[in-house]
C-alpha cells in the first residue's frame, strides 16, 4: 500500500485508566520502542485528570495528548466543565468535541457542540469534531440528513474557513462504537466522500486537505482496509487504543 502523505491515529480513552495505569501504558509503549514519524499524527484523548501526566510522557515519544471535551466560555459558573485557558495552562492544545457519548448521555446538542468547536478554534486549539448517525437513523435512510444537521451549525465558521491544520472531522456511526461492528470500508468511504463534498459545496472552497477520520470498532485487523480509501485520512479509536501493543500496531499499520 502506498503510504498516504499524512495519517492521523487518535485514541479515545474515554473514562478509562487511572494515573498508575497511564504510567504503565507509556512504560510499555516506550519498551515497545514506539517511534513517531513526520507522516503520522499519533495522539490520545485522555481523561482530564491524566492530561498532565500523559503529556509529560507522550511528548517524549511524539504522541500528542488531547482533552475529551471543553467549554465554549473561558471561565464562569459551569460546574464540572473545563475551559480552554485551563487546558492551555497545562499545555494541552488538542480537543475532541461532540463525541456521540456526550450527545447521548450528557445532553450535547448540535448547537452546543458547534459552539464549543468554534470557541476553541478561536482560542487556538486543534479540534476534532465528531458526527455520526445511530442505528435507527441509518436503517431509516436518514444518515445524510443527520450528518448535515450536525454539520450545519459549523457554518458560522464560513467567513474564516476551516483550517485543515487545526480542524478535522471524525465520522463515527453510533452503531459501530464499541460494538465490534465496524462500518465496512465502502460504507465509511461513501459517507466520508459525501462529508467532503458537502463541506466543499457549503464552504465554497476545497476541503481536500481537511482530515476525515473514521471511528467505530477500529482494530489493527480492519484499519488497513479502511485507510486504503481515498477519503479516510485516519482513525479515532476507543477500545483498541487502551492497550499499548494494539495502539502501536495501529500506528505501524497507518505508516505501512
Ligand atoms: P471504539 O470507540 O473504537 O471502542 O468503537 C470509538 C469511539 O467512541 O471513539
Amino acid at each position: 500500500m502506498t503510504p498516504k502523505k499524512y495519517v492521523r491515529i487518535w485514541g479515545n480513552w474515554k473514562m478509562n485508566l487511572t494515573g498508575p495505569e497511564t504510567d504503565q501504558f507509556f512504560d510499555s509503549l516506550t519498551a515497545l520502542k514506539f517511534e513517531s514519524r513526520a507522516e503520522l499524527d499519533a495522539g490520545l484523548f485522555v481523561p482530564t485528570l491524566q492530561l498532565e501526566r500523559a503529556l509529560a510522557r507522550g511528548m517524549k515519544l511524539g504522541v500528542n495528548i488531547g482533552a475529551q471535551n471543553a467549554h465554549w466560555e473561558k471561565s464562569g459558573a459551569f460546574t464540572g466543565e473545563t475551559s480552554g485557558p485551563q487546558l492551555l495552562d497545562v499545555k494541552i492544545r488538542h480537543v475532541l468535541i461532540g463525541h456521540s457519548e456526550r450527545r447521548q448521555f450528557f445532553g450535547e446538542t448540535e448547537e452546543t457542540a458547534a459552539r464549543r468547536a468554534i470557541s476553541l478554534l478561536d482560542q487556538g486549539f486543534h479540534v476534532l469534531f465528531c458526527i455520526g448517525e445511530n442505528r435507527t437513523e441509518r436503517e431509516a435512510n436518514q444518515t445524510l440528513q443527520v450528518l448535515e444537521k450536525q454539520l450545519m451549525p459549523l457554518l458560522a465558521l464560513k467567513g474564516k474557513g476551516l483550517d485543515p491544520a487545526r480542524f478535522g472531522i471524525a465520522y463515527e456511526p453510533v452503531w459501530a462504537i464499541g460494538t465490534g461492528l465496524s462500518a465496512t470500508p465502502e460504507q465509511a468511504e461513501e459517507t466520508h466522500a459525501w462529508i467532503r463534498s458537502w463541506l466543499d459545496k457549503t464552504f465554497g472552497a476545497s476541503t481536500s486537505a481537511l482530515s476525515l477520520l473514521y471511528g467505530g470498532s477500529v482494530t489493527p485487523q480492519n484499519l488497513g482496509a479502511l485507510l486504503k480509501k481515498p477519503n479516510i485520512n485516519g482513525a479515532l479509536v476507543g477500545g483498541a487504543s487502551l492497550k499499548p501493543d494494539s495502539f502501536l500496531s495501529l500506528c505501524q499499520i497507518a505508516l505501512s
Side-chain angles (χ1 to χ4, degrees):
M1 174 172 133
T2 336
K4 291 190 187 180
K5 238 172 101 197
Y6 189 60
V7 190
R8 305 185 66 194
I9 301 293
W10 274 81
N12 173 13
W13 281 3
K14 311 191 179 187
M15 198 176 68
N16 294 296
L17 303 196
T18 61
E21 286 165 347
T22 301
D23 281 340
Q24 268 169 24
F25 178 96
F26 284 102
D27 287 347
S28 305
L29 206 56
T30 309
L32 289 165
K33 304 207 181 317
F34 179 93
E35 270 182 65
S36 67
R37 298 259 283 278
E39 320 86 273
L40 175 70
D41 171 35
L44 294 165
F45 293 108
V46 307
T48 314
L49 279 173
Q50 313 316 344
L51 283 169
E52 287 191 78
R53 184 189 294 252
L55 185 67
R57 301 295 308 266
M59 260 164 48
K60 295 194 183 127
L61 295 175
V63 177
N64 285 308
I65 301 297
Q68 297 174 5
N69 188 28
H71 202 265
W72 57 85
E73 292 293 344
K74 292 187 175 168
S75 66
F78 301 102
T79 303
E81 290 277 333
T82 307
S83 73
Q86 289 168 333
L87 292 174
L88 289 176
D89 186 37
V90 292
K91 311 224 168 351
I92 295 295
R93 300 202 150 75
H94 291 266
V95 63
L96 185 67
I97 292 296
H99 188 276
S100 67
E101 285 147 21
R102 302 292 324 159
R103 296 179 192 256
Q104 228 178 319
F105 305 125
F106 302 101
E108 186 85 275
T109 65
E110 278 90 20
E111 286 65 36
T112 56
R115 210 165 158 191
R116 290 179 200 271
I118 292 164
S119 166
L120 290 155
L121 282 169
D122 249 6
Q123 294 177 58
F125 281 86
H126 295 248
V127 172
L128 185 59
F129 189 77
C130 303
I131 57 174
E133 82 287 0
N134 64 30
R135 178 177 302 284
T136 320
E137 291 158 348
R138 175 155 280 255
E139 284 171 358
N141 267 327
Q142 286 169 353
T143 300
L144 303 183
Q145 287 99 299
V146 170
L147 300 182
E148 185 164 29
K149 209 164 151 230
Q150 292 171 342
L151 289 168
M152 199 62 107
L154 292 177
L155 262 181
L157 288 167
K158 192 163 177 179
K160 298 181 187 159
L162 295 175
D163 176 1
R166 288 201 296 114
F167 183 76
I169 289 182
Y171 167 59
E172 297 204 305
V174 180
W175 48 270
I177 295 179
T179 59
L181 271 181
S182 167
T184 63
E186 292 68 32
Q187 281 173 323
E189 169 62 19
E190 191 187 13
T191 313
H192 281 218
W194 177 85
I195 295 169
R196 204 180 292 289
S197 68
W198 187 88
L199 291 171
D200 284 354
K201 187 179 68 194
T202 315
F203 281 82
S206 167
T207 56
S208 59
L210 196 90
S211 52
L212 301 181
L213 279 63
Y214 167 76
S217 296
V218 172
T219 63
Q221 284 70 44
N222 59 22
L223 179 67
L226 287 160
L227 290 181
K228 279 192 186 134
K229 298 293 181 192
N231 285 293
I232 303 181
N233 314 109
L236 179 60
V237 190
S241 73
L242 288 166
K243 295 267 184 299
D245 52 347
S246 74
F247 182 68
L248 175 74
S249 299
L250 292 163
C251 294
Q252 287 170 336
I253 290 162
L255 286 168
S256 65

